[in-house]
Structure formats: structure tokens, C-alpha cells
Amino acid sequence: MDERGSTPGVTLEDVARRAGVSPSTVSRILNGTARVRESKRRAVERAIAELQYQPNVIARGLARGHTMSVGVITPHIASPFYNETLTGIEDSLAKAGYSPLFVSGHGNLAKEVERVALLVARRVEGIILLNSMMDDEALLNCSQRLPLVTTGRHLQGPRVTSIQLNNEQAAFEATWYLIELGHTRIAHIAGPAHNIDAQERLAGYRRALLQAGLPVDERLIAVGEFHEASGLMALNQLLETRQSFTALFIANDQMAYGARLALYRRSIRVPEDVSLIGFDDLPSSLYTTPPLTTVRQPAYDLGHAVGEAMLRMINGQPVSQPDLPLSLIVRESTLRRRD
Amino acid sequence: MDERGSTPGVTLEDVARRAGVSPSTVSRILNGTARVRESKRRAVERAIAELQYQPNVIARGLARGHTMSVGVITPHIASPFYNETLTGIEDSLAKAGYSPLFVSGHGNLAKEVERVALLVARRVEGIILLNSMMDDEALLNCSQRLPLVTTGRHLQGPRVTSIQLNNEQAAFEATWYLIELGHTRIAHIAGPAHNIDAQERLAGYRRALLQAGLPVDERLIAVGEFHEASGLMALNQLLETRQSFTALFIANDQMAYGARLALYRRSIRVPEDVSLIGFDDLPSSLYTTPPLTTVRQPAYDLGHAVGEAMLRMINGQPVSQPDLPLSLIVRESTLRRRD
DNA sequence: CTGAAAGCGCTTACAG
DNA sequence: CTGAAAGCGCTTACAG
């Protein structure tokens, strides 16, 4: 194996000279865009090997008019959830020779707008926005010059498509599972009100209660910000209302961690005293004490679908919604109600 | 605010024509590379605004001979630890107008070598390798054509520098803290033997015991793979040796999570029965039950230093080792020994 | 099948 | 101060 990689500095012209052909011919061989006499092909291939030539993707992009790159804006490059998705995007794009340009929006509108500009300056061929902070109108505007794929919202247009999972149904099933376990007082820690995923999960929670003929008690619903600290605070808040509950459906795992710690602080046992269900199935949820029952998001597959959608848009092909099932992973934070 | 960003398709020539000057002049104004008559400057600036012109970074890169991008290879783009570091890299690079190209090495040599080639094809001006799988020789080879900055190893050369934290000292301090708490039987779960960080942490653990006059019992040292599952297995293994211990220093937080679960399964209480110290201070370590005492790595600052080092190398300036202190964060998984 | 030439969108000596 | 020209490393009609 040769880890030395290729030699920058060697150009297509060097190859042409060495092989005794014109640059055009080398280019054609490289791209398989026309048949070339076998002897020349061999000479060129040898020259390429000897010189360790590797085409300059940048120059090729300029000449061809496309950069073979797509921008990906993440809310927080540091978030544990999105990374799986990023890997999925990277893999699907790679198959078509495209590279993702990952930049972080830092969960901040101004920053995000600035990043879009940066990506445009780099002439990406499309932009993927994971749970963008921009409103629909701004996104629609963006899509006029660049194909867009987004997650976490419902937006369809000629040059924009949203890949969305069925959060509502998954939340319904999670809540329903608690109901089946005999729980009737089920609290919910929701995500931020403006967040679509949060809204859908809340809706699924409500539908399950309704369908089971249970009352929806608004005092049992607290709102967090999708991070641990807010889960902890939301739980404390719930406890302060003095409304009893024996189970909790929490809109994401990070908040569930916070809630779990709040319970630990008050010596409320999980799952004996209260059952817990999260959402996301982060890698560490398998190792919380007790391991967390949660809804698994197909994060990698989502990324893959997003990448595929982008590729199709770039090529002007129609894109359809993929079917990406969410599934309840039952572990040890839930228990049949007993009293 | 205008979220529409700029208009691709508008070229510098369009601006020149509209402003009634030559492209050269527009370029000079854009780059501040020469003084231009005030009236022309104003005309050009107006044209730029009206056309919403944004320079094509790619074309500029081709012309200037540099791409303003540096490649960053991460072991696992999905790892919770590296993301902070990536943000630091991104920020420091951004200040100089550089963009990082993040790619995942997938913790796999062949993949990593492939990624290096991809980055070279994109003509990055340097490559940052976070805990690379390549051996020193391969890295040295790489550095012959591209400046390299690495972490997690000791490597210095004309075009390669390693930014390394003092893991040994931090591990020493963590272990020493346990000793101060009165623990004498302290077990260790080490990282993979080939990993330099792991070696250093093990060395620090050993030095603390030695310095305290405590015996180093090899049966109290288990080896994991830096992920949760291996921490769980390592702890089980430790238990099977039937060597008693009242405290554990674990080479990273993820393994500490696994170990903590193993203890939970056997109803061994933390910290009453055994104290636990991890390494990394992942965001979720503040929310484990109990919150984990651990060594904080300045992950963001490390990334920042790495980015700075790369910039200096690109500019041919000398780079010096930054002073990045690790610190023990005492939380609730450690307790004075009592028996 | 294959070469010479023009062009992608910039920058930068080179001459005024 | 400023324009015309050449060049960065490729690709791709255009003519053989």
C-alpha cells in the first residue's frame, strides 16, 4: 500500500507531454468521454501512474461549471444527534462523486444566513439545511438560486423539498405504550414551541391520550429547549405543580437525561416510581441507568435520504418522500404501573 | 435583513461592465490590492450592490493558486468528543478566510488514506488529522507535499506538527485525587494499547500510585476500546478477577458510562461502594446519575490551537506548542473511602 | 480518433 | 491610477 497519496503540482498537461498526446486526449481518457486508440490510452495511463497524477477537482469544476460539492448547514456541529445524519449524507453524496461542505449554523439565524452566503461563494450546487432557523419564506427565497433540502419542516416547492419523519405517529406509539402499561397520569416535556418536531411529538402525545379516553391535563405538560438543563428544569417545574404522574414521555433523549437527574436528586426511582420514555435513541441512551426506553430515529438513513434527494434535485429529477420508520425501543426505564 | 444571499451567475465582468471599468479594477477594489480613484470605487461598489455580486471563491483560488481550504479528517464524524474540537477548528480558520473540509476517516486506515487522496484532489492547502490511524512514517510521507497538523501523537517535522495535551499529568492528578480521598485499591480501565492518549493516561495512573507508595496491581488494569460497551465489559472482567477495589479511574467518559451501567446491574453503588473518575467531560457527563467526576479536555481550545497551527504552517511561520490545561472536574461520582 | 482553440471566473505582472 | 493580456488547470465544441 502506498499512503503517499497523489502529487499536487502535476498537471494534466504534464501527463499529456509525457505520454506524447494532447491535453484533450488525456482529458477524454480521464472522463471516458470518447474512445481513444488503445496505444495512446496505455501511454496516458502509464504517465498518470508514473507522475502520480490526480486531477484538480477545483479546476475541473470551474471548467465544467459545477463544483461537485453541496453545503450542509447543521444547527450545532457539536450536537450528538446530527452526526449520524451527517455520515448518511456524506455516504450518499460520495457515491455520486459529490462532497459535503459541513458548516455549523450555531442555532442562530444571523450566523446561518452568513453561512449560506459563504456556501454560495464557494459555489456549492445545493444546500442542505438540517432544522434551519430561517422561516419558510426565507427558505423559499433561497431556493430560487439553489436547490434546497431541509429537515424538520414541511416545505415543498419546485426547488426545495423537506424530508420529514412521522414524529406524530411515533409519539403516539410511545405514549400509547405507557397507556398499555396501565399509566393514566402521563406527563410530557415538550420541545420548543416553534419547533415542528416538537409540535408533532406533542400532538402525538395528545392524540394517544384522547384515543384512550384519558383527559389531557395541561399542567402535566412542560416545555424545554431540547437540551439536558432544560429537561431538568422542566421536571422540577412539573413536580412543583403537585400534579401526580407515574410516567413521562419526553420529546428528546437529552431532556430525558436532565429529567432523570432531577428525579435522582429527589430520590424518585426510575422505573419503579415513574416510567420514562425519550426520543432519538442517542448512543448513550443504551448506557444510562437504567437504560432508556426511547424512540429510535433512523438518523443515518435520514441523512442518506436527504443526500439522495439533493442529488436528484441537482439532476432535475423528481424526488419522493422516503419511508423512514421510527421505532420504539423498549429498555428499562419503563414499567407496568403498580399501586 | 436580506436572507436571499448573493446571486451566483453574476461575474466580476458583469460588475465591470456595469460600473464602466475594467475587470482588473474591480478585482483590485475587491482585494484592496491598489488604490483606485474614488469615483470608480464608488461606481464599482454600487454595481456590486445592485448585482448582489459575490466573488467566486473557487475561481479566485485557481487564479491565486490556493484554495483557502484545509482538510480535516476525524476518526468518526459521529463521535461526541470531536465535535467541540471541530467547532474550534472552524472558528480559527474562519478568521483567516479559510474553510475546513470535514471528512470522516471512520476509524479505519484504508478509508483514511482514501480521504487524504480526496482532499488532495480538492487541493486543500493542508490537512488536519485528529487521532489518525496512519503510522508516523506514513504521516511524514504525507507531510512532504502538504503541511500536516495532528493530535494524539508526538510528531514534529519541518511540515508536520502535533498538538498534544498533557494526558499523563491529568491522569496523574485524577488518580492522585482518589488517593487523597483515602482509596488504596484503585482500578483502571485503559484505552486501546496502541493509542497514545491511552498510554499516557495509563502512565499517569501508574505514576500516581508509585508516588503514593501504593503497589501497582496489574490485575486491576483492564483494557477497553474507548466506547461504552467495552467499558462495561472491562468492568465485568475486573470484577471477575475478584480483586477488590474501591475506586476506578477510567480512560474516557464513554467507557465510564459502560462501567457505571455494569455496576448498576450488580447493585454496586456509585459513589458509596466505588468511586468513579472518567476523562473528557462529555456534555452528558454532567447528567449521568450521579454526575460524573472527570477530567475536562479543552476540546474547543484544542481545535482552535490546531487551526492556528495550520494557518501558521501554511504561511511558513514557526508554530509553538500551546498551553492547554486539563482540569479535574469534581462532581458526585467520587467519595472519601469509608470502611 | 484527435488536436488547436476558446472558455470557466478570477488575479496579476506588464505596460502605460 | 488603470487597461489589455496572459495564466490558473481543466473541458468541450469545432474541425479535421
Side-chain angles (χ1 to χ4, degrees):
Chain A
M1 178 182 43
D2 184 339
E3 293 107 335
R4 270 169 295 164
S6 72
T7 311
V10 178
T11 74
L12 181 145
E13 218 178 311
D14 298 329
V15 174
R17 203 166 328 147
R18 179 147 191 153
V21 301
S22 75
S24 319
T25 301
V26 176
S27 175
R28 289 188 188 101
I29 289 173
L30 246 25
N31 300 299
T33 133
R35 35 176 89 264
V36 173
R37 194 184 311 160
E38 198 45 34
S39 65
K40 297 207 172 186
R41 166 185 305 281
R42 257 198 287 275
V44 168
E45 273 161 2
R46 182 141 42 78
I48 287 177
E50 286 169 1
L51 262 26
Q52 291 199 83
Y53 169 70
Q54 198 169 21
N56 181 330
V57 181
I58 303 294
R60 173 180 288 172
L62 226 207
R64 285 217 271 239
H66 50 244
T67 57
M68 303 305 284
S69 68
V70 345
V72 182
I73 300 185
T74 65
H76 254 308
I77 208 153
S79 154
F81 178 70
Y82 292 98
N83 295 308
E84 277 289 301
T85 306
L86 299 188
T87 307
I89 293 176
E90 189 180 21
D91 289 352
S92 60
L93 253 31
K95 274 182 219 147
Y98 275 77
S99 294
L101 241 52
F102 296 120
V103 300
S104 166
H106 292 93
N108 163 314
L109 216 192
K111 207 95 178 176
E112 202 180 307
V113 171
E114 178 197 314
R115 298 315 172 126
V116 168
L118 182 148
L119 291 172
V120 170
R122 294 218 162 237
R123 297 302 188 269
V124 294
E125 296 181 50
I127 295 184
I128 292 172
L129 293 121
L130 265 20
N131 293 40
S132 170
M133 304 291 290
M134 296 195 234
D135 59 31
D136 284 7
E137 198 196 351
L139 250 22
L140 246 13
N141 255 323
C142 255
S143 76
Q144 281 174 219
R145 42 180 60 103
L146 230 48
L148 248 46
V149 176
T150 73
T151 65
R153 64 207 308 150
H154 300 284
L155 198 58
Q156 299 296 339
R159 289 160 51 82
V160 51
T161 116
S162 299
I163 306 293
Q164 183 66 340
L165 303 174
N166 197 337
N167 285 282
E168 199 273 347
Q169 177 62 22
F172 172 87
E173 283 165 19
T175 310
W176 193 255
Y177 178 71
L178 291 171
I179 294 170
E180 282 181 336
L181 287 179
H183 296 283
T184 54
R185 301 283 300 166
I186 303 172
H188 179 54
I189 299 181
H194 62 81
N195 184 289
I196 303 220
D197 291 345
Q199 292 166 208
E200 293 186 355
R201 290 170 200 174
L202 175 56
Y205 159 81
R206 288 203 143 99
R207 179 160 68 88
L209 294 184
L210 250 37
Q211 191 158 320
L214 294 171
V216 174
D217 184 342
E218 297 296 333
R219 291 164 303 182
L220 252 30
I221 301 177
V223 176
E225 295 291 328
F226 275 158
H227 55 245
E228 291 87 348
S230 69
L232 188 146
M233 291 190 347
L235 192 90
N236 284 151
Q237 203 176 300
L238 243 23
L239 255 20
E240 276 159 22
T241 67
R242 304 238 152 263
Q243 299 302 307
S244 69
F245 53 87
T246 61
L248 266 162
F249 168 53
I250 304 174
N252 81 346
D253 281 3
Q254 283 173 269
M255 292 198 295
Y257 299 166
R260 200 264 170 278
L261 180 58
L263 294 168
Y264 173 83
R265 292 251 180 270
R266 308 197 181 214
S267 300
I268 299 173
R269 295 167 303 166
V270 176
E272 294 80 356
D273 300 325
V274 39
S275 285
L276 237 52
I277 295 188
F279 205 109
D280 279 352
D281 195 24
L282 297 186
S284 25
S285 293
L286 187 51
Y287 291 91
T288 54
T289 50
L292 187 68
T293 294
T294 186
V295 175
R296 172 172 300 164
Q297 297 225 55
Y300 178 88
D301 294 336
L302 174 63
H304 207 277
V306 164
E308 299 274 69
M310 177 49 81
L311 255 14
R312 295 187 67 87
M313 295 195 79
I314 288 175
N315 296 319
Q317 301 164 330
V319 4
S320 56
Q321 280 291 318
D323 182 37
L324 298 172
L326 293 153
S327 49
L328 183 67
I329 308 293
V330 176
R331 290 203 272 252
E332 301 163 44
S333 65
T334 40
L335 207 61
R336 175 159 295 281
R337 175 181 167 211
R338 44 174 198 182
D339 52 1
Chain B
M1 177 182 41
D2 184 338
E3 293 106 338
R4 271 169 297 166
S6 72
T7 312
V10 178
T11 75
L12 182 145
E13 218 179 312
D14 297 328
V15 174
R17 201 165 329 146
R18 180 149 192 152
V21 302
S22 76
S24 319
T25 300
V26 176
S27 175
R28 289 188 188 102
I29 290 175
L30 247 27
N31 299 299
T33 134
R35 34 177 87 266
V36 173
R37 194 185 312 160
E38 198 46 34
S39 64
K40 296 207 173 183
R41 167 187 302 284
R42 257 199 287 277
V44 168
E45 272 160 3
R46 182 141 41 79
I48 287 177
E50 286 170 359
L51 261 27
Q52 290 198 78
Y53 169 70
Q54 198 168 23
N56 181 331
V57 181
I58 303 294
R60 172 180 291 174
L62 226 207
R64 285 217 271 237
H66 48 245
T67 57
M68 304 304 286
S69 67
V70 344
V72 182
I73 300 186
T74 65
H76 254 309
I77 207 152
S79 155
F81 179 69
Y82 292 99
N83 296 306
E84 276 291 301
T85 306
L86 299 189
T87 307
I89 293 175
E90 189 180 22
D91 289 351
S92 61
L93 254 31
K95 275 182 216 146
Y98 276 76
S99 294
L101 241 52
F102 295 120
V103 300
S104 166
H106 292 92
N108 163 314
L109 216 192
K111 206 96 177 177
E112 203 180 305
V113 172
E114 178 196 315
R115 297 316 172 130
V116 169
L118 182 148
L119 291 171
V120 171
R122 294 220 163 236
R123 295 301 189 271
V124 293
E125 296 180 50
I127 295 184
I128 292 172
L129 293 121
L130 265 19
N131 292 41
S132 171
M133 305 291 291
M134 296 196 235
D135 58 32
D136 284 7
E137 198 196 351
L139 251 21
L140 245 13
N141 255 325
C142 255
S143 76
Q144 280 174 219
R145 41 181 60 104
L146 231 47
L148 247 47
V149 177
T150 72
T151 65
R153 65 204 310 148
H154 300 285
L155 199 58
Q156 299 295 338
R159 296 169 35 92
V160 52
T161 117
S162 298
I163 306 293
Q164 183 66 341
L165 303 175
N166 198 337
N167 286 281
E168 199 273 348
Q169 177 62 22
F172 171 86
E173 284 165 19
T175 310
W176 193 255
Y177 178 72
L178 291 171
I179 294 171
E180 283 182 334
L181 288 180
H183 296 282
T184 54
R185 302 284 298 166
I186 303 173
H188 178 55
I189 298 180
H194 61 81
N195 184 288
I196 303 218
D197 291 345
Q199 292 166 206
E200 294 186 354
R201 291 170 201 173
L202 175 56
Y205 159 80
R206 288 203 143 100
R207 181 160 67 89
L209 294 184
L210 250 37
Q211 190 159 322
L214 294 171
V216 174
D217 183 343
E218 298 295 334
R219 291 165 303 183
L220 251 32
I221 301 177
V223 177
E225 295 292 327
F226 274 157
H227 55 245
E228 292 87 347
S230 68
L232 189 146
M233 290 191 345
L235 192 89
N236 284 152
Q237 204 176 299
L238 243 23
L239 256 19
E240 277 159 20
T241 67
R242 304 239 152 262
Q243 298 304 307
S244 70
F245 54 87
T246 61
L248 267 163
F249 168 54
I250 304 174
N252 81 347
D253 282 4
Q254 283 173 269
M255 290 198 296
Y257 299 166
R260 199 266 170 279
L261 181 58
L263 293 167
Y264 172 84
R265 292 251 180 270
R266 307 200 181 212
S267 301
I268 298 174
R269 294 166 307 164
V270 175
E272 294 82 353
D273 300 326
V274 39
S275 284
L276 237 52
I277 295 187
F279 205 110
D280 281 352
D281 193 24
L282 297 186
S284 23
S285 293
L286 187 50
Y287 292 91
T288 55
T289 50
L292 187 68
T293 294
T294 185
V295 175
R296 173 172 299 163
Q297 297 226 53
Y300 177 89
D301 294 337
L302 174 63
H304 206 276
V306 164
E308 299 274 69
M310 177 50 82
L311 256 13
R312 295 188 67 86
M313 296 196 78
I314 289 176
N315 296 319
Q317 301 163 329
V319 3
S320 56
Q321 280 291 319
D323 181 38
L324 298 171
L326 293 152
S327 50
L328 183 67
I329 308 294
V330 176
R331 291 204 273 251
E332 303 163 42
S333 65
T334 40
L335 207 62
R336 175 159 295 281
R337 176 183 167 210
R338 43 176 200 181
D339 53 0

